[in-house]
Each structure stands twice: as C-alpha cells, then as structure tokens.
Amino acid sequence: MQQVAADLEIDFKSEKYKDAYSRINAIVIEGEQEAYENYIQLSQLLPDDKEDLIRLSKMESRHKKGFEACGRNLQVSPDMEFAKEFFAGLHGNFQKAAAEGKIVTCLLIQSLIIECFAIAAYNIYIPVADDFARKITEGVVKDEYSHLNFGEVWLQKNFAQSKAELEEANRHNLPIVWKMLNQVADDAAVLAMEKEALVEDFMIQYGEALSNIGFTTRDIMRMSAYGLTA
Ligand code: Y39
Ligand code: FE
Ligand code: FE
Ligand code: FE
C-alpha cells in the first residue's frame, strides 16, 4: 500500500524537512535546466527532429519554473552548488558524447536514463508531496513520459545500428545512476520517499524502455546488472 502525506503527517515546515528539500529541490531544478540544454543540443544534432526537440526543451524550462515555485512555497532556498555536483557525471558524459556527435549515447543519457530517473522520482514523490508541489509534479510527470517516448521511438527505428553504442553507453552511465540514488537516499527518506521504491520504479521504466526499443529480456537482465553494486 502506497503511503500518502496525509497518513504520514509530514511536517513540511520542519527544519529537517526543509533542509532535505533544499537539496532535492535543487537537484530537480538543476536536472530540468540540464534537460532543457540537452534537448537544445539534441535539436542541433538531429535536424529532422528539430521542432519536436525544441518543443521538449521548452517543456523542461517550464518544469524548472514549476519546481522553483515549489521551493519558494516552502520557503526553501535550493542548494544549487550541491545539485551541479550531483549531475556532474552524467553532464560530463553527455557533453563528451555531443562533442563527438554520438547521438545514440546522448539519447540514452537524457531520454532514457534521466527521463526514467525523473519519472521514478516524480511518481514516488506525488503521494507524499505538499498540495502545491503535488499539483505541479502531476503535470510534469505526464510530460516526462512523452520525453521518454521520443527516445524510445527514435532508438527503436534505428535499433540495428544503435545497439552496440547503447550497450556501451549503458555500461558507462547506469553505474552513475546508482551512485546518484545512494547519494540522495537519506534526503529522499526525510521526504518519505523510499530508496527501494525509487530503484524499483526506475528499473521498471528503464527495462520497459529497453524492451520497447528492441532489446531481449536476456539483454535487459545483463544491461540492468551494470553498476548495481556502485
Ligand atoms: O527530463 C527531465 O525533466 C529530468 C531532468 C529531470 C531530472 C530530475 C531528476 C530527479 C532526481 C530526483 C531524485 C530525488 C530522489
Ligand atoms: Fe522535465
Ligand atoms: Fe524530461
Ligand atoms: Fe568503454
């Protein structure tokens, strides 16, 4: 049974909650900003999909504004320095891939890994969020499914020539996600978001995405095992 904020009597005004929120809120704001930039960069790498990708980038910048409002609503100032550091690994790998024109790697990092991370985090957050943040997050998560879908459709169409690069990019980037989850677990717990629930939801989304793209169950098992011990 999913616990809800009302049953847990979460004190959104406590110093402990606000302290944890200053980092989680910052992560989400920084994530949305980087997602905005990543889709702009992808629009330059994929001229045929330019309009769609620009549209996605605009959604990301709206998400950022929504989450900034969530922080203000709780009178929390987001710790942006922490958040930049938190994303540094995936950010660096995306930048490196973009510079080398490795579109498949860029799509795996942003449209599969980061979108699945966002979907898991927002799904787990919604039932335990304050009323203001819940409404914002419900709107945002619908968009994130459409971003994941963009990546799935593109990679499914180009599966044969992308498969090897996807496996390589998975091997380099999935361990980073587990490190990020471990880093944020204590703060997430203060917000009544359990690490086990985050991991479960992430693996369901990511596994489904890999399956939709064309990987076999056997491939997915093998790919999912990377970095689980990170
Ligand atoms: O595509 C997007 O909008 C993704 C950038 C946003 C990522 C949000 C990352 C959320 C991780 C939060 C971890 C909280 C437990
Ligand atoms: Fe977003
Ligand atoms: Fe997104
Ligand atoms: Fe390698």
Side-chain angles (χ1 to χ4, degrees):
M1 228 340 225
Q2 175 70 60
Q3 298 201 290
V4 297
D7 293 347
L8 294 166
E9 293 181 47
I10 298 168
D11 183 359
F12 301 109
K13 291 279 159 204
S14 72
E15 283 313 311
K16 192 177 177 196
Y17 190 93
K18 287 168 65 170
D19 174 60
Y21 206 82
S22 73
R23 286 178 293 279
I24 303 251
N25 184 233
I27 286 169
V28 169
I29 292 167
E30 176 65 21
E32 296 294 353
Q33 173 64 31
E34 293 194 18
Y36 162 79
E37 291 165 13
N38 290 348
Y39 282 116
I40 301 262
Q41 268 188 286
L42 277 163
S43 79
Q44 288 154 4
L45 293 166
L46 290 167
D48 290 352
D49 295 292
K50 186 169 178 171
E51 263 176 57
D52 272 342
L53 288 160
I54 295 287
R55 191 169 50 78
L56 267 46
S57 77
K58 286 181 180 155
M59 293 160 104
E60 303 296 18
S61 83
R62 268 202 305 280
H63 297 169
K64 179 188 170 187
K65 292 198 182 88
F67 289 123
E68 285 172 336
C70 294
R72 279 197 302 274
N73 180 56
L74 294 179
Q75 289 167 308
V76 167
S77 18
D79 184 345
M80 297 311 297
E81 208 174 307
F82 172 84
K84 262 202 185 310
E85 190 57 40
F86 182 79
F87 272 105
L90 290 182
H91 179 77
N93 285 356
F94 184 98
Q95 290 310 318
K96 183 168 178 285
E100 293 169 359
K102 292 175 102 172
I103 293 166
V104 170
T105 299
C106 289
L107 283 172
L108 178 119
I109 293 172
Q110 175 59 46
S111 298
L112 301 188
I113 286 188
I114 298 180
E115 298 294 353
C116 286
F117 195 18
I119 289 168
Y122 300 161
N123 277 339
I124 302 304
Y125 177 53
I126 285 168
V128 294
D130 64 85
D131 289 338
F132 182 87
R134 184 182 319 117
K135 287 188 194 92
I136 302 250
T137 311
E138 281 168 346
V140 168
V141 77
K142 290 195 192 104
D143 289 347
E144 308 301 3
Y145 281 105
S146 79
H147 303 171
L148 172 60
N149 186 255
F150 175 89
E152 286 175 348
V153 169
W154 196 96
L155 291 165
Q156 191 250 323
K157 274 190 205 148
N158 298 278
F159 183 61
Q161 63 272 37
S162 305
K163 192 165 185 266
E165 189 178 328
L166 282 170
E167 297 205 25
E168 163 95 359
N170 173 79
R171 185 146 40 85
H172 288 141
N173 290 286
L174 198 56
I176 299 178
V177 175
W178 301 129
K179 278 190 213 125
M180 292 166 84
L181 266 165
N182 285 330
Q183 237 186 305
V184 84
D186 289 349
D187 286 329
V190 174
L191 273 54
M193 300 164 69
E194 284 173 26
K195 185 188 160 190
E196 291 69 30
L198 290 164
V199 171
E200 180 182 316
D201 208 88
F202 175 85
M203 280 322 305
I204 290 170
Q205 306 299 336
Y206 190 58
E208 269 180 20
L210 294 176
S211 167
N212 292 338
I213 289 165
F215 285 103
T216 65
T217 304
R218 192 187 169 85
D219 292 330
I220 295 167
M221 296 286 179
R222 191 172 35 76
M223 290 170 77
S224 300
Y226 278 107
L228 268 179
T229 54

